[in-house]
Amino acid sequence: MAIVVTDSRFIQACLGQPHDTVPVWFMRQAGRYQPSYRALRSRFSMLELARTPIHIRDVTVRPVEDLGVDAAILFSDIMIPLDGMNIRFDIKEHVGPLVFDPIRTGADVARLAPFNREKVDFVFEGIRRTVEALGPTTPLLGFSGAPFTLASYLIEGGPSRTYRRTKAWMWTDPPGFEALLSRLADMAVQYLTGQVEAGASALQIFDSWVGTLATVDYRAAVLPHMVRIFQALAPLGVPLIYFGVGTPHLLSDMKSLGATVLGIDWRTPITEARALVGPDVGLMGNLDPERLVAGQSQALMGARGIVEAMKGDGRYIFNLGHGVPKESDPMVLKALVAHVHQWGRYSS
Ligand code: CP3
């Protein structure tokens, strides 16, 4: 029986419903800044952890207990569902995902196996166990990579600064590129649907690198796939967060998709993002993650400005503009959560 999360200020803020204070969670709140995670990683690889339900549960729940954040995010990686298409990859420490046989032609796409949910059942089992451990008041966010961001790894074979092969393929062979994105969109829909069926209360779609595209290319090559994803997910009835880095030029299009919440990186003032997208969508962000590394007073100073500006907003969720750096001090994160909750309190 699925656990229904009630009385969650995170869900309430997503939906623009009344809540007591500004909710907070952190992208990469589970990771190497935690001594407990580093201890586990000395015994298992990242991929071993992400493919084992008990580890998924333990790593996902830990930051909720340690920091007091208002939501858990599934411990996994955007590459994991590619197991369901028989794509072979590794995650190399300090580098990122590496794809053994990059996909660069329409023939490569045609050879991909159709996404098979059963091959990633360990994720769904991990979600069931996590939701049970979290109980009825802490929501679990499921997530998936978006087609463009996943395609960039599949095409380049690893991380990239320029996305040169990705862009060249997008421009020179639109049907081949479209076929790949379409397969990744199908995967995202099935994978995210499975996560909600297993107990996730909200979903985040990571399009981390889509900000590299000009608006005209986003509209031509990416937006149609995103429309399809959001239309397919809407009937699930859970909040949908869409996040990318460096996307001010794409925000209006991103909002048009019907996302419940847009994630904003640290470069754009979040009040400017609000002016750009209007009142009827949630916003999440956007402290510069490096403030955590600079120390507690820098983190608190930056956060206070953002919370003061957004606390009356009604549809605002505190987060960093990107993931927690591994050099962060867990005590700074903990202090940040307590302060955001205190500053964000709505006086009644
Ligand atoms: O936020 C969370 O706590 C949930 C876990 C999570 C991870 N990856 C764990 C992880 C999530 C949501 C992701 C998504 C992800 N993975 C994205 C989108 C979010 C973003 O950061 O923009 C991207 C682009 C990736 C690809 C990826 N995987 C990168 C760039 C890296 C870092 C490589 C490194 O060593 O610095 C990974 C590995 C990874 N994913 C780690 C974690 C905790 C570190 C791996 C380790 O334990 O060695």
Side-chain angles (χ1 to χ4, degrees):
M1 188 51 208
I3 293 180
V4 177
V5 171
T6 51
D7 222 22
S8 151
R9 60 169 78 98
F10 165 76
I11 299 287
Q12 288 157 348
C14 286
L15 300 174
Q17 296 169 352
H19 50 289
D20 57 346
T21 185
V22 168
V24 44
W25 70 278
F26 300 112
M27 292 184 274
R28 286 285 162 88
Q29 63 190 16
R32 284 167 297 184
Y33 79 94
Q34 296 171 296
S36 60
Y37 182 82
R38 289 198 301 270
L40 258 182
R41 278 283 280 107
S42 69
R43 293 164 53 212
F44 305 101
S45 72
M46 152 79 197
L47 289 177
E48 282 170 329
L49 293 178
R51 287 173 175 145
T52 311
I54 289 289
H55 291 315
I56 294 174
R57 178 197 68 191
D58 291 345
V59 176
T60 302
V61 170
R62 191 66 184 252
V64 177
E65 294 170 345
D66 288 354
L67 305 178
V69 286
D70 298 300
I73 180 157
L74 171 68
F75 175 75
S76 189
D77 195 83
I78 57 169
M79 302 301 285
I80 289 288
L82 301 172
D83 283 352
M85 293 171 82
N86 292 343
I87 294 173
R88 294 180 314 126
F89 62 91
D90 197 5
I91 292 183
K92 193 171 156 62
E93 197 168 359
H94 310 302
V95 177
L98 298 178
V99 176
F100 296 154
D101 306 298
I103 296 165
R104 293 174 178 163
T105 65
D108 294 340
V109 178
R111 274 194 295 273
L112 293 175
F115 178 67
N116 177 354
R117 261 167 75 152
E118 282 164 28
K119 291 204 168 155
V120 289
D121 193 56
F122 56 84
V123 173
F124 306 127
E125 183 56 25
I127 290 176
R128 286 188 282 270
R129 292 183 193 211
T130 303
V131 166
E132 201 179 309
L134 288 170
T137 55
T138 305
L140 175 68
L141 263 156
F143 75 89
S144 169
F148 177 83
T149 292
L150 283 170
S152 77
Y153 286 112
L154 293 176
I155 298 163
E156 305 290 337
S160 172
R161 262 186 236 284
T162 58
Y163 305 95
R164 188 160 291 154
R165 284 177 188 275
T166 306
K167 290 182 179 183
W169 194 24
M170 174 179 78
W171 289 319
T172 56
D173 177 22
F177 188 80
E178 128 80 24
L180 177 59
L181 265 65
S182 182
R183 297 290 294 274
L184 295 171
D186 289 342
M187 179 186 87
V189 168
Q190 292 184 55
Y191 183 54
L192 291 168
T193 302
Q195 292 183 40
V196 171
E197 286 168 5
S201 294
L203 297 171
Q204 177 151 332
I205 299 171
F206 283 97
D207 214 348
S208 304
W209 314 134
V210 78
T212 189
L213 291 181
T215 305
V216 61
D217 291 319
Y218 181 78
R219 287 183 185 155
V222 176
L223 192 63
H225 301 283
M226 300 312 300
V227 168
R228 197 152 65 78
I229 291 175
F230 277 89
Q231 279 176 353
L233 297 178
L236 297 173
V238 299
L240 305 173
I241 307 177
Y242 188 25
F243 170 81
V245 176
T247 58
H249 60 302
L250 304 178
L251 280 181
S252 309
D253 287 320
M254 292 169 90
K255 193 217 151 177
S256 74
L257 293 165
T260 321
V261 177
L262 298 175
I264 308 293
D265 86 352
W266 65 94
R267 296 172 181 91
T268 310
I270 196 156
T271 46
E272 277 183 27
R274 172 56 82 209
L276 230 127
V277 298
D280 54 342
V281 62
L283 287 179
M284 181 183 87
N286 71 340
L287 186 71
D288 188 334
E290 285 302 320
R291 281 201 180 254
L292 294 175
V293 186
Q296 179 154 321
S297 60
Q298 293 311 318
L300 294 185
M301 243 192 291
R304 184 160 196 163
I306 295 170
V307 174
E308 295 293 340
M310 294 301 285
K311 66 180 282 190
D313 187 271
R315 297 194 74 164
Y316 169 64
I317 296 155
F318 185 87
N319 205 316
L320 308 178
H322 203 179
V324 177
K326 63 178 185 301
E327 297 79 6
S328 308
D329 177 347
M331 295 316 290
V332 173
L333 279 153
K334 190 171 175 165
L336 194 50
V337 174
H339 280 83
V340 170
H341 283 158
Q342 188 195 320
W343 297 325
R345 200 156 285 284
Y346 303 116
S347 42
S348 47

